[in-house]
Amino acid sequence: MTKETKKQGFATRQIHGYDVRVPGINPLATPIFQTSTFVFDDCAQGAARFAGKEDGFIYSRIGNPNVEQVAKKVAILEGAEAGLALSSGMGAVSTVLLSLLEQGDHIVADLALYGATFTLMQDALPRYGINTTFVDATDLDMVIDAIKPETRMVYFETPTNPNLKVVDIAELVKRVREKDPLILVVIDNTFATPYLQQPLSLGVDVVVHSGTKYLNGHGDVISGFIASNKTIIDRCRDIGLKMVTGSVLGAFEAFLINRGLKTLDIRMEKHCKNAMKIAEWLETQPKVRKVYYPGLKSFEGYEVAKKQMKLPGAIISFELEASKEAAEQFVNSLELITLAVSLGDAETLIEHPASMTHAGYSKEMLEEAGISETLIRISVGLEDADDIIADLEKHLAAV
Ligand code: LCS
């Protein structure tokens, strides 16, 4: 029924990574297995499947062919032994944290995180006795100094949402391993995707994704992924997904992500090409105070990004030389660029992190995280770069 291809190139694997065939019908596209449960031949078979003595599907919370297909595909693209697909990026993040940590454990995390990940660590996990020390993960001494005897996990994004800080993955892993080899290093690879950056090859233990973004790429699905070794994925599935979070991806959503994944490389190439052109243009504008983009030589993370990323990604943040009100008016007036949160879609999206995606941060925390209150974030889409620039130019003139 399935054919796995591991050793081929990225483009081949994103298309054929885990082909599902249905003998007798043989459709090219994987059919949608829209079923909650699977029929057993007899009691012995049902018991054997529950006991793990026989492969086969049981119930769609535990496994479904479409969901397994995308989970395996993302794992293959990340170079992981195993993968798990979930109903949202937050489903992936919470499943990792709640499956791998327990009361009394401690996390060291970068302070610049997607807003809901931050509030999960800051506000929700302490209720279960799991506390987090927030650091600047680009400062490796600060990471190491924050490690305590009860630290079980170091967690970060790179590039970070929304201010695009770039953490040196290999160096961070090396320093953490020297301090305590049992600490799990977890990275959120959403902004980079496995096409631009493969953290497991740099020593990271667990990769999480919001599959809502580039992996699906078409703005029509919420989803999440975890990629790691088999032991960790089994734990995340058998404890986290199955019994704690229950954040199961639907078959139709998995079908759409599988379709999106087939063009991941060419979409990322175009996203990044557009972003580079727009970031360079923004940098020349007198009304723009600062541009945050890992592809700009003037940006702090440039050298590390060049070392560990194939291309610098397609999220750009910037600040205007203008009042908060004028910046708001500028965003409201844009015509082609759409005012919406999320990222990684064909459409160019713009948002204001301090009042939207990162509204869970206090004023002080925003400042400490280096997320300016006037920061504007653009997810550069797949339109013609000149049209995106024309929209920015027209409305910047009015600021
Ligand atoms: N990790 C990162 C880096 C994210 O950017 C997001 C969502 C998540 C995890 C959570 O994924 P979800 O549950 O939404 O699939 N980021 C969003 C953003 O920046 N705007 O809207 C959502």
Side-chain angles (χ1 to χ4, degrees):
M1 186 170 168
T2 55
K3 186 169 69 100
E4 215 169 326
T5 52
K6 266 191 186 142
K7 295 270 155 24
Q8 292 162 323
F10 194 92
T12 307
R13 284 180 287 139
Q14 75 183 4
I15 296 167
H16 293 291
Y18 200 75
D19 284 337
V20 174
R21 295 280 176 247
V22 183
I25 302 173
N26 284 326
L28 173 66
T30 309
I32 303 170
F33 292 88
Q34 191 68 37
T35 181
S36 57
T37 197
F38 297 84
V39 179
F40 303 134
D41 290 342
D42 51 32
C43 287
Q45 185 182 55
R49 288 193 185 172
F50 268 90
K53 290 182 183 151
E54 181 189 300
D55 287 341
F57 294 101
I58 298 173
Y59 182 66
S60 280
R61 174 157 45 75
I62 304 166
N64 169 287
N66 298 99
V67 177
E68 188 176 296
Q69 179 180 44
V70 283
K72 289 215 160 142
K73 226 186 214 192
V74 170
I76 287 167
L77 295 177
E78 286 285 1
E81 194 181 9
L84 196 60
L86 301 107
S87 59
S88 68
M90 286 316 298
V93 173
S94 58
T95 297
V96 163
L97 298 176
L98 295 170
S99 306
L100 304 179
L101 298 173
E102 55 190 63
Q103 193 179 19
D105 286 350
H106 174 253
I107 306 169
V108 174
D110 193 290
L111 182 54
L113 293 168
Y114 169 58
T117 306
F118 168 73
T119 43
L120 169 64
M121 290 180 185
Q122 160 91 352
D123 302 328
L125 288 185
R127 293 197 278 118
Y128 304 95
I130 299 166
N131 290 299
T132 303
T133 301
F134 293 101
V135 297
D136 175 0
T138 63
D139 181 343
L140 298 183
D141 290 336
M142 198 176 178
V143 174
I144 300 306
D145 289 348
I147 291 175
K148 307 178 187 185
E150 61 270 29
T151 304
R152 291 283 167 273
M153 186 179 285
V154 171
Y155 186 105
F156 63 106
E157 301 170 0
T158 182
T160 58
N161 185 356
N163 53 350
L164 289 320
K165 279 193 314 181
V166 183
V167 178
D168 189 325
I169 303 170
E171 273 304 305
L172 181 140
V173 169
K174 184 169 152 258
R175 294 284 305 273
V176 172
R177 296 273 183 266
E178 279 164 12
K179 175 89 179 180
D180 182 348
L182 295 179
I183 291 175
L184 290 172
V185 180
V186 180
I187 184 175
D188 183 328
N189 202 26
T190 300
F191 272 35
T193 81
Y195 182 62
L196 303 184
Q197 169 175 288
Q198 294 173 0
L200 296 170
S201 71
L202 300 172
V204 161
D205 298 294
V206 184
V207 169
V208 295
H209 275 284
S210 168
T212 312
K213 312 300 183 316
Y214 296 105
L215 297 182
N216 177 57
H218 295 75
D220 46 19
V221 166
I222 299 282
S223 65
F225 291 91
I226 308 169
S228 186
N229 62 44
K230 193 172 175 311
T231 310
I232 285 178
I233 293 298
D234 283 349
R235 199 173 165 84
C236 287
R237 183 182 43 249
D238 299 343
I239 295 175
L241 171 63
K242 197 168 144 188
M243 292 180 294
V244 181
T245 64
S247 37
V248 180
L249 187 66
F252 180 53
E253 284 75 11
F255 169 89
L256 288 174
I257 300 162
N258 187 45
R259 187 163 74 151
L261 278 173
K262 293 180 191 183
T263 54
L264 179 62
D265 64 340
I266 52 173
R267 285 189 287 107
M268 292 314 292
E269 290 282 344
K270 174 85 189 285
H271 276 299
C272 294
K273 194 170 165 213
N274 276 358
M276 193 69 217
K277 194 164 179 184
I278 292 161
E280 280 174 343
W281 179 83
L282 278 170
E283 211 179 21
T284 63
Q285 299 306 300
K287 287 180 182 171
V288 176
R289 186 187 309 144
K290 185 168 177 193
V291 183
Y292 299 71
Y293 182 61
L296 292 176
K297 282 204 178 85
S298 60
F299 190 63
E300 213 177 325
Y302 174 79
E303 287 300 334
V304 179
K306 214 168 126 189
K307 183 176 79 163
Q308 69 191 18
M309 298 176 78
K310 189 181 170 82
L311 292 165
I315 310 296
I316 304 170
S317 287
F318 63 98
E319 289 163 39
L320 294 181
E321 293 283 7
S323 67
K324 206 172 158 220
E325 292 70 32
E328 208 169 283
Q329 206 177 336
F330 162 73
V331 170
N332 287 340
S333 66
L334 292 164
E335 292 162 88
L336 174 66
I337 300 171
T338 306
L339 175 57
V341 295
S342 203
L343 54 103
D345 298 331
E347 296 82 357
T348 296
L349 304 178
I350 197 161
E351 67 119 5
H352 176 236
S355 68
M356 298 173 189
T357 48
H358 293 70
Y361 282 69
S362 66
K363 229 174 145 70
E364 297 71 40
M365 283 293 204
L366 277 179
E367 200 175 313
E368 212 180 305
I371 304 168
S372 135
E373 275 206 278
T374 53
L375 196 75
I376 297 169
R377 189 190 79 185
I378 296 189
S379 164
V380 177
L382 299 174
E383 303 96 337
D384 292 297
D386 290 343
D387 291 331
I388 302 168
I389 290 173
D391 196 26
L392 291 168
E393 190 166 31
K394 177 174 167 193
H395 298 285
L396 208 49
V399 170

